[in-house]
Amino acid sequence: MPVFKLCMKIIKKNLPSMLVYICVFLAILILFATNTTKKPITGFTTEKCKIAFLAEESSPLLDGFKKELAKNAEFVNIEDNTEKLQDALYFRNVEYIIRIPKGFTDSFMKGQNVQIEKTIVPSSASAAFMDMSVNQYFNTARLYVKNMNGITQTQLADHVNQDMDHNTTVQMKSSSQTTSYNFARNYFNYLAYVLFAVLILGISAIMMVFNNQDLQRRNFCSPIRAGSINMQFMLANFVFSFACWLVMVAFYFVFDEANFYCANTLYLLLNSFVFTFCGACISYLIGNLLKSREAISAVCNVVTLGPCFISGVFVPQELLGDTVLRIASFTPTYWFVKANAQITSLTNFDSASLSSIFSYMLIEFSFGIAFFILSLVVGKRKRMAN
């Protein structure tokens, strides 16, 4: 099989340029592997919020309130100066400033609607949690004031603090599938870039050799039939594409062996194999269109990076605009990423859950068939022109 052997020699000669993409891919994988490997969550602890407590008066009720806040807050002593308080918020020395106005306790004990002054860091989660604690304390205290006539501040503080001591037991249950398949989703999404680039570099290099006019005329004069040449050529492209896919699958096995035999992984592999077929067909078309070796790398970067940026490989599809996603839907990469997202979230493998995934794979396969037919037309015209 001389044609097949020649194709393998061409691929071997272009291995260094392909290895660059694979090495970059492995570096990204190592980063993902180290960042997604976390210790399992076995409990829940409240993170204390740094607050400044400024009170213009002192009372048993406020003492009880401050005692309750100490369970979830860390008090920071700051001078009651507007500029210094603003600086403390800006530099995150505090995230929550409470100011109790003079006369607050007497007004509250009379059932009047009084407000606590607060200054917070915008959009702070800890500040929102402190809001809940403050509101819960004074809403509970207000119930006692309304329903227990003659209650003293000391009694009120004791009752409220006793009520606030009742806590709900929190048991954290982590979903191993959700945690581990974040890596799988990222892996196979980035596979769209690396695998596509390697296929273009390898198949285009083969095409550039066989599209040489002198070589084509020499092949026509050889004793090997044209059908045999085409079959060996197609076989070489198939073996190369399959070998690339197999190498990527082997890397996934190394980095995520624990989930390799799960049902979700089976569909991820199937989806990646369909995308490999589509990428090989596009690479075949690109190889028929290019006229110089220098253009291969440039076209490879444009064809691979462009769809990856707008299809959800580098930026999640949830963060992309509708117009961008509408444009991206005309690329197979978009449907590949969309299928990966659904596969990694699967918990039920019935026909209803898998139907949309198979439809996405069918769209990818249709892209591949369309590009393959187009490449045959372009190739035939080239041969006729020569």
Side-chain angles (χ1 to χ4, degrees):
M1 300 175 66
V3 177
F4 179 83
K5 291 180 180 179
L6 175 60
C7 292
M8 294 297 104
K9 288 181 179 179
I10 296 171
I11 291 172
K12 185 177 180 181
K13 186 178 179 180
N14 289 272
L15 274 179
S17 58
M18 302 179 201
L19 288 175
V20 172
Y21 287 90
I22 295 176
C23 291
V24 172
F25 181 54
L26 287 176
I28 296 173
L29 280 184
I30 293 172
L31 289 176
F32 270 122
T34 53
N35 290 332
T36 54
T37 304
K38 299 178 180 179
K39 295 180 179 179
I41 301 173
T42 57
F44 172 79
T45 55
T46 304
E47 183 178 352
K48 290 193 173 184
C49 174
K50 294 181 180 179
I51 71 171
F53 192 89
L54 306 174
E56 298 177 3
E57 64 177 17
S58 179
S59 65
L61 176 63
L62 294 180
D63 291 340
F65 173 55
K66 191 173 182 180
K67 180 181 177 182
E68 181 60 33
L69 282 183
K71 297 177 182 178
N72 301 315
E74 177 186 345
F75 293 105
V76 179
N77 293 322
I78 299 177
E79 183 181 344
D80 190 359
N81 178 278
T82 303
E83 185 177 349
K84 290 185 177 180
L85 291 172
Q86 289 176 346
D87 289 341
L89 282 174
Y90 179 80
F91 292 107
R92 298 301 189 268
N93 294 327
V94 295
E95 297 179 76
Y96 200 98
I97 299 175
I98 295 178
R99 182 182 295 276
I100 308 295
K102 191 173 183 179
F104 172 85
T105 305
D106 291 337
S107 299
F108 184 84
M109 294 302 294
K110 293 176 182 179
Q112 297 178 6
N113 187 15
V114 288
Q115 299 292 330
I116 292 178
E117 298 177 13
K118 66 172 184 177
T119 309
I120 64 173
V121 174
S123 303
S124 171
S126 57
F129 182 74
M130 288 306 302
D131 277 339
M132 293 173 57
S133 299
V134 172
N135 292 334
Q136 185 180 9
Y137 185 90
F138 284 107
N139 286 338
T140 305
R142 191 172 286 111
L143 288 175
Y144 281 104
V145 172
K146 287 183 178 180
N147 296 284
M148 295 183 66
N149 295 326
I151 187 172
T152 64
Q153 292 187 35
T154 304
Q155 291 173 337
L156 177 59
D158 290 339
H159 285 307
V160 175
N161 287 340
Q162 287 177 9
D163 292 339
M164 299 289 284
D165 283 338
H166 296 289
N167 297 320
T168 302
T169 303
V170 178
Q171 183 179 3
M172 303 296 294
K173 291 186 177 181
S174 61
S175 173
S176 59
Q177 182 186 39
T178 303
T179 302
S180 59
Y181 272 103
N182 286 334
F183 174 77
R185 179 178 176 178
N186 290 327
Y187 179 93
F188 283 96
N189 283 350
Y190 275 90
L191 193 72
Y193 168 63
V194 180
L195 184 60
F196 204 177
V198 172
L199 289 174
I200 291 176
L201 291 174
I203 295 178
S204 296
I206 298 174
M207 297 296 298
M208 291 301 300
V209 173
F210 278 86
N211 284 337
N212 181 275
Q213 191 176 37
D214 294 333
L215 182 61
Q216 281 187 341
R217 290 173 177 175
R218 184 175 179 180
N219 288 337
F220 290 149
C221 298
S222 67
I224 305 175
R225 298 192 310 272
S228 178
I229 293 176
N230 290 332
M231 285 298 296
Q232 293 182 48
F233 181 72
M234 292 294 180
L235 179 62
N237 286 331
F238 173 78
V239 170
F240 171 68
S241 301
F242 182 76
C244 292
W245 175 79
L246 206 59
V247 169
M248 299 303 174
V249 170
F251 284 143
Y252 177 70
F253 177 79
V254 171
F255 282 96
D256 199 11
E257 182 182 356
N259 292 317
F260 187 79
Y261 301 101
C262 296
N264 300 72
T265 304
L266 175 63
Y267 292 104
L268 286 171
L269 295 177
L270 179 61
N271 186 38
S272 63
F273 186 78
V274 175
F275 184 78
T276 302
F277 166 76
C278 182
C281 294
I282 296 175
S283 303
Y284 188 67
L285 174 62
I286 292 172
N288 276 314
L289 293 174
L290 294 180
K291 296 181 179 179
S292 64
R293 291 179 177 273
E294 292 76 15
I296 293 179
S297 296
V299 172
C300 174
N301 289 328
V302 172
V303 173
T304 55
L305 285 175
C308 287
F309 273 112
I310 65 174
S311 298
V313 173
F314 301 132
V315 180
Q317 291 184 350
E318 296 82 6
L319 302 180
L320 297 173
D322 294 335
T323 304
V324 175
L325 292 177
R326 198 174 296 113
I327 297 172
S329 63
F330 291 95
T331 66
T333 308
Y334 169 82
W335 301 102
F336 175 70
V337 173
K338 199 172 180 66
N340 286 340
Q342 288 206 11
I343 292 170
T344 52
S345 62
L346 277 180
T347 55
N348 189 12
F349 298 91
D350 56 8
S351 57
S353 303
L354 295 172
S355 59
S356 59
I357 294 173
F358 284 128
S359 65
Y360 299 153
M361 293 184 190
L362 182 61
I363 293 173
E364 296 172 44
F365 185 77
S366 301
F367 270 108
I369 294 295
F371 283 114
F372 180 70
I373 293 173
L374 186 59
S375 62
L376 290 179
V377 173
V378 173
K380 186 175 182 180
R381 288 187 175 182
K382 267 195 168 185
R383 287 193 298 271
M384 293 176 66
N386 291 334

